[in-house]
Amino acid sequence: MILSQLRRHRGRALALAAGILVAATSFTLLTSTVTTSQARTTDTVRKNARSAYDVLVRPHGSQGAVERADGLVEANFLSGIYGGITLDQYDAIKDMAGVQIAAPVANLGYLMVQGTMRIDVSTFLDPGAPAQMLRIRPTLTAGPNQYRTADQYVYVSRNPIKRPAELPHDSSPEDLLQEDTGHGVYSVCWYYNYNKTDLHIQHSDDGGYEPLEPSFIPEDRREESPFDRDMNAWLTCRTGHEKVAAEVPVSYPVLLSAIDPVAENQLVGLNQAVTSGRVLTDRDKPVWGNKERWSAESSYWKVPVLLNDRTLTAGTLDARVERLQAGDPALLPAKLGSPAAHDFVNGLRGTPVGHATAKIEKGYPEKFAYPPTLSNYWTVGPVDYRRTAHGLVPRPRAGQSPEIWRTNVNRQFVDLVPEENTGTQYRKVTSHPGTFCFGYLTCDHEDYGRTSIPYLVPVGRYDAGELPGFSSLSQVPLETYRSPEVTGADKEARTALHDRPLAPDRNLGGYLTAPPTMLTTLDSIPTLTKSRRQPSLQDKAPVSAIRIRVSGVTGVDPASQARVNAVAGHIRTAFPGLQVDITIGSSPAPQTVALSGINVREYWTAKGVALHILKAVDTKSAVLFVLVLVVCALFLAQAALASVRSRRIEIGTLRCVGWTSSDILRLVLGELAAIGLGAGAAGSLLAYVLGALLGLPDAGAKAALVLPVALLLAVTAGAFPAWRATRLRPLDAIRPPVTAGGRTAPVHSLIGLAARNLLRVRGRTLLGAAGLALGVAAFTVLLALTLAFRGEVAGSLLGNSVVAQARSADYLSVALSLLLGAAGAVDVLVLSQRERAADLAVLRATGWTTRELARLTLYEGILLALLGGLTGAVAGLAAVLAIGRGVLEGHLLTVAGAAGLATLAAITLVSAALAFPIRAHSRIAPAHLLAAD
C-alpha cells in the first residue's frame, strides 16, 4: 500500500523527498561547518593563549581609571612607575609555590647621554674659497610635531686646524681646536661653543673681570634658560673642502632600569640578543675603585650596565643650508678666536644653497669616550586618560619648568636640553639631582649620609629586535625592550605621521616615552638611588613591576587556569596592597587615542580574552545547533502537514471504507520513512561532494550521517501531521476546505478580496505564514547572536582572528535559516493553490480574466508573506530581547533593518515562486477543474 501510494502520488512524494533531502543535507553540513569552525577557533585560542608572562604585579595605585573600568592594561604602563615594590616582597613572591619565573623591573630614571650627529654639507662648499662658513637652519620633525631647532655652523679653512700639541689628547676639550694662519694661532671654535653668554671670570686677586680664556672652567649659565635654542647652537671647524659635515652635539634621554639577569634570560631570552660584549650576570655588582685614566685618581663606584644598540627615540632634521657672507677670509680666524665670536657669527647674512636631512637617532654614540655618570636623572609620571565617545583622550599638563634641568653643580643647567621638551606635556617630570661628593664613600654636609655619584661601565650591548618572538595575537606589554605600537587611526593621522608609526621622541613629558636603553642588576640599585640628594620611594621600594610565569601552565585549560589563579591569589593574600593582574589569555586590543590634534591607534592589552572567547564560542555554537535543528525540523513538519492536508479527501475515503486511526498513522509514517530513506541515500552522496568542495574534514563520515538524520527528521517531523491525519473523519472527505463565512460585506478591490480569501481559509493562511515567520525569526535571532558574538570577542587581535575564522559558518547559518523557512512557506502556498483550484475555476468561468486571477493570487501571496515576515521579525526581536545580556547593544538598528530586509526577501521569493502555479493553472480549462472537483 505504501509503495502504491508513493507511485500514485509521485509529484507529492518527490517534493517531500526534496524537502527532506535539503533539510537533512543542510543540517548535517551546517552543523559540521559550525563544529569545524568551533574546533578551529578553540585551537587558535589555545595556541595563542600563552604570552610572555602569566601574572603582572604592580605597585598600589598604578592602575588608571580606564584600566579599572575596561579591564585593560595600558600599552605604556611601565613608563610611569618608578618604585613601589620592595626587594623583600620580590624575594617572597619569587619563592612562592607555583612560581616558575619572577622577573622584576626597577625603573631608576632617565639620564642624558650626549652624542654627535653628522649633517653632510660637502656639496654646498665653494671649492675655490680659502675659508668659508655655512649656516644650517634645521627643523626637527618628531611624529606629528615640528620644532625649530638651533642654528648650526660650519667653518672650513685651507689652513691646518688641529688640537694643541702641548695638551694630552685625552684631556683636551673636544672643541679646543687651533688654526695656524702663519701670522698667529687662534682657537677658532672654542669661543663660539663655550662662551655663548660672553660672561667673564673674576680675578681672585683684585676682584676684576676678564674674558673667559680657553680652559676647563665651565661657563656660568645660571641666568640662562635651558630652552634657549641658541644655547644649543654649535660651530664645527674643519680643514679641507671635500668631505665636511656639521658635527652637532645632541642629547638622548636614556632610561636606566635594573633587572634580575637570570630571570630575564629565562623569561624573554635576553642573553640571545647580545650583539657585543657579554650579557649581565648575577655576579655583576657595583665595585668601589680608582686609578682609571678617567677618574683622576679619585675613588668611585663602578656600576655594570648593558646597553641597547638603539636609541629608541626618533626624529628627522630637515635643514636649509646657507652660505654666509663672512667678509675677508684672512680675517676670519681672528674673529672666530675672540670672545666676540658668538655675536659675530650669529650676525652674518646668508644665501640659501640647498637642503640637507639627517635622522636624529644617527647621533647616538656607538661607544663612550668616558663612562657616563648619573649627575642628574629624571622620572616621569603616568598619563591621565579620560574615556569619550570617540576614544581615549590624554589630559595635557602645564609646560616643563626650567628648574627641573638644574644640576647639583653651582645650580647650572644641563647642556643640550632636547627641543622636544618645549612641546605638549602629558606626564609630570621630576628631577633627581645627584650628590656632590666625588671620591667619598659617604657624603658630608648637605648630602650627609648619601653616597657619591657612580660611573656606568658598559659590559656589552644588545639588540631588542633579536629577542625571541611571542604570538602577535597574545602579546603583553614588553616595555623593557619595545615601544608600544602606535599608528594613525585615519587618513589624516597617517598623513601627519608620514605613513610611519609614532615613535617616542626626546620629550620626557611627552605621550610616548622610550623603554629602557640601559640595564643593570638589582644589586646596583642602592648605589644608584642613594646617590640622590633627596631620599625617594626608590630607596625603600625600588621595583616597578614583576612579571611572572607560572609552573605547569600549558594554555587556558582548567588546570592551567587553576594554577595561575592560585599564584595570583597567594600574592594578593600575602601583599593585599599590590596590584595583581592575570595576563594569561590576554590579547592586544586597539584603542583610539586623540593625540595632538590627530587620532592614533594604540594596542592596549585586554585581559582574559582567550577565556571569554572560548565561553562565547561554546555558547554561540550551541545556539546555532539548536536553531538550525529547529528550523530544519519545522520545515519538514510544515511540508508533511501540507501534504496530509492536501490528502483530506483520500484519507476521509479510507476512513469510510473501514480504515482505523492506527492504519492511517502507519500509512502516513511509513510513507514519510520511505521518503526519508530515499532522500537520505541521495543526500549522503550530495553531502560527500559538497563536503569535499567546502574542505570539511572527514567529509565521508559526515556524509554517512545524512541517511540516519534524514530518516529521523522525516519520522519526527511527520509525527504531528500523521496524528492530525488520524483525526480526520469520514465526512471530511466531502467537507470543503474553506471555512464558511459569516455576514457578508461588499469587496471593492482585488487587494480586499485577497485579504478576505486569506481570512476565509485561516488554517491555510496560518500554515503558510508560519513558514515565513519561522524563517525570518530564526534569521533575526541568528544574526543578532552572530553580531553579539563578534561584539563580545572582537576588539582584540585574537578576537578579530577568531571572528574572521568563524565568519563563513555564521553567514551560512543565517542564510540557511531564512531559505528553509521561506521554502517551507512556498511549499505550503503551492499546495494551497492546488487545494483552491476549483474556486479559481469558478471565477474564470464567470468572466474573470487570467490577468485578474494572477493579480489576485499574487496579492494573496504578498499579504501572506508580509504577515509571516513581519510576525517573524517581531518574534525574532522579542526573542533576542528576551535573551537579554545586552545582545542588541549597539546593533539594534542593524538587526531591525536586517529583519525588514528579510521580510522583503521573503515577499520577493514568494512572489517569484507563485508565478509557476499561476501559469500552470491558467492553462487548465475551468471545466476540467470543476469536473475533477
Side-chain angles (χ1 to χ4, degrees), residues 118-183:
R118 296 173 58 86
I119 303 176
D120 190 356
V121 294
S122 304
T123 58
F124 307 113
L125 295 175
D126 181 359
Q132 57 188 304
M133 294 193 69
L134 299 176
R135 178 188 287 124
I136 302 168
R137 295 186 178 274
T139 297
L140 172 62
T141 300
N145 304 312
Q146 289 189 332
Y147 305 90
R148 177 71 173 86
T149 63
D151 291 342
Q152 307 297 328
Y153 296 89
V154 178
Y155 169 61
V156 182
S157 174
R158 292 185 183 275
N159 296 322
I161 301 176
K162 58 184 179 180
R163 298 177 183 276
E166 64 274 13
L167 293 176
H169 181 274
D170 59 2
S171 62
S172 174
E174 178 70 19
D175 284 305
L176 188 53
L177 301 175
Q178 294 181 341
E179 178 179 0
D180 187 353
T181 66
H183 303 285

Side-chain angles (χ1 to χ4, degrees), residues 25-41 617 620-621 624-625 628 687 690-691 693-697 702 805-813 816:
T25 305
S26 300
F27 173 74
T28 304
L29 290 179
L30 183 58
T31 52
S32 298
T33 302
V34 171
T35 304
T36 302
S37 174
Q38 181 185 14
R40 289 174 178 170
T41 297
V617 166
K620 188 200 70 167
S621 298
L624 287 177
F625 183 88
V628 171
L690 292 177
L693 293 176
L694 294 174
L696 295 177
K702 291 180 173 59
Q805 288 185 351
R807 184 173 291 123
S808 59
D810 294 344
Y811 287 158
L812 189 58
S813 303
L816 181 65

Side-chain angles (χ1 to χ4, degrees), residues 622-824:
V623 171
L624 287 177
F625 183 88
V626 171
L627 282 179
V628 171
L629 178 62
V630 170
V631 168
C632 291
L634 290 184
F635 163 71
L636 290 178
Q638 259 187 335
L641 191 61
S643 177
V644 170
R645 186 178 179 82
S646 67
R647 298 170 61 189
R648 289 171 52 261
I649 298 176
E650 178 184 335
I651 294 173
T653 303
L654 291 175
R655 292 301 304 274
C656 289
V657 297
W659 280 55
T660 65
S661 297
S662 58
D663 294 332
I664 299 298
L665 181 64
R666 287 195 299 272
L667 174 65
V668 175
L669 288 180
E671 290 181 9
L672 290 174
I675 295 173
L677 285 174
S684 295
L685 179 61
L686 178 62
Y688 179 78
V689 175
L690 292 177
L693 293 176
L694 294 174
L696 295 177
D698 302 324
K702 291 180 173 59
L705 292 175
V706 175
L707 180 60
V709 168
L711 180 60
L712 181 63
L713 284 175
V715 174
T716 303
F720 178 73
W723 177 81
R724 284 293 305 271
T726 64
R727 309 302 295 172
L728 291 175
R729 295 171 295 175
L731 289 179
D732 290 330
I734 58 174
R735 182 173 295 166
V738 179
T739 303
R743 188 174 56 182
T744 60
V747 177
H748 302 287
S749 65
L750 283 177
I751 295 179
L753 181 58
R756 182 63 59 84
N757 287 338
L758 293 177
L759 291 175
R760 291 175 62 217
V761 284
R762 297 182 181 87
R764 177 177 63 83
T765 301
L766 293 177
L767 188 63
L772 289 175
L774 176 65
V776 174
F779 173 87
T780 305
V781 172
L782 283 174
L783 180 63
L785 291 175
T786 299
L787 292 176
F789 166 73
R790 296 180 186 177
E792 280 191 274
V793 305
S796 65
L797 295 186
L798 182 59
N800 293 342
S801 175
V802 166
V803 167
Q805 288 185 351
R807 184 173 291 123
S808 59
D810 294 344
Y811 287 158
L812 189 58
S813 303
V814 170
L816 181 65
S817 66
L818 180 61
L819 289 176
L820 285 179

Side-chain angles (χ1 to χ4, degrees), residues 305-633:
V305 294
L306 183 67
L307 302 179
N308 199 325
D309 269 338
R310 308 177 185 182
T311 175
L312 304 180
T313 56
T316 302
L317 281 179
D318 184 12
R320 184 181 70 186
V321 182
E322 299 176 352
R323 190 174 294 156
L324 300 183
Q325 301 171 16
D328 187 353
L331 301 179
L332 274 177
K335 293 179 179 179
L336 296 177
S338 73
H342 177 263
D343 292 338
F344 165 71
V345 172
N346 285 4
L348 294 176
R349 299 179 61 185
T351 302
V353 291
H355 283 80
T357 60
K359 298 291 186 182
I360 196 75
E361 55 266 31
K362 295 296 184 181
Y364 185 68
E366 296 183 359
K367 61 181 179 179
F368 297 103
Y370 308 99
T373 65
L374 254 65
S375 176
N376 275 51
Y377 68 65
W378 295 263
T379 58
V380 301
V383 177
D384 182 20
Y385 294 93
R386 59 185 177 90
R387 174 75 73 177
T388 69
H390 304 290
L392 298 175
V393 179
R395 301 179 190 272
R397 302 180 61 91
Q400 288 182 14
S401 169
E403 294 302 311
I404 69 171
W405 297 100
R406 287 197 187 273
T407 71
N408 62 352
V409 182
N410 299 327
R411 304 293 295 161
Q412 298 292 321
F413 286 113
V414 174
D415 292 330
L416 305 171
V417 175
E419 290 84 357
E420 295 96 311
N421 286 278
T422 61
T424 304
Q425 303 292 297
Y426 295 103
R427 303 173 184 272
K428 180 183 179 181
V429 182
T430 303
S431 177
H432 299 267
T435 55
F436 190 48
C437 55
F438 292 102
Y440 294 92
L441 190 61
T442 304
C443 301
D444 293 325
H445 306 297
E446 69 267 25
D447 296 332
Y448 180 80
R450 312 302 287 175
T451 62
S452 61
I453 297 173
Y455 287 93
L456 305 178
V457 181
V459 300
R461 284 181 176 257
Y462 70 96
D463 183 356
E466 297 298 322
L467 290 173
F470 299 94
S471 170
S472 61
L473 302 182
S474 59
Q475 283 189 90
V476 287
L478 284 175
E479 283 187 86
T480 317
Y481 308 101
R482 298 169 185 162
S483 299
E485 183 181 352
V486 180
T487 57
D490 49 41
K491 183 178 180 181
E492 291 75 12
R494 288 188 288 271
T495 301
L497 294 174
H498 310 286
D499 291 323
R500 292 192 295 267
L502 179 66
D505 57 23
R506 299 177 299 163
N507 181 2
L508 289 185
Y511 178 69
L512 284 181
T513 58
T517 313
M518 285 188 181
L519 301 176
T520 188
T521 61
L522 295 179
D523 291 325
S524 301
I525 292 176
T527 305
L528 300 166
T529 60
K530 293 185 184 300
S531 66
R532 302 303 95 190
R533 284 194 155 180
Q534 298 296 327
S536 68
L537 177 65
Q538 293 178 327
D539 284 290
K540 296 181 179 180
V543 178
S544 304
I546 304 173
R547 298 149 299 156
I548 296 173
R549 282 180 75 89
V550 178
S551 301
V553 173
T554 58
V556 289
D557 55 281
S560 296
Q561 294 177 45
R563 293 186 178 100
V564 174
N565 291 334
V567 169
H570 291 161
I571 298 173
R572 293 189 183 106
T573 301
F575 307 108
L578 297 181
Q579 172 67 41
V580 182
D581 291 308
I582 295 175
T583 57
I584 185 174
S586 300
S587 181
Q591 304 294 312
T592 300
V593 181
L595 181 66
S596 299
I598 63 172
N599 293 323
V600 297
R601 179 177 290 109
E602 181 176 20
Y603 285 95
W604 290 32
T605 298
K607 295 179 290 186
V609 169
L611 304 178
H612 191 62
I613 289 175
L614 290 178
K615 182 178 179 181
V617 166
D618 292 340
T619 301
K620 188 200 70 167
S621 298
V623 171
L624 287 177
F625 183 88
V626 171
L627 282 179
V628 171
L629 178 62
V630 170
V631 168
C632 291

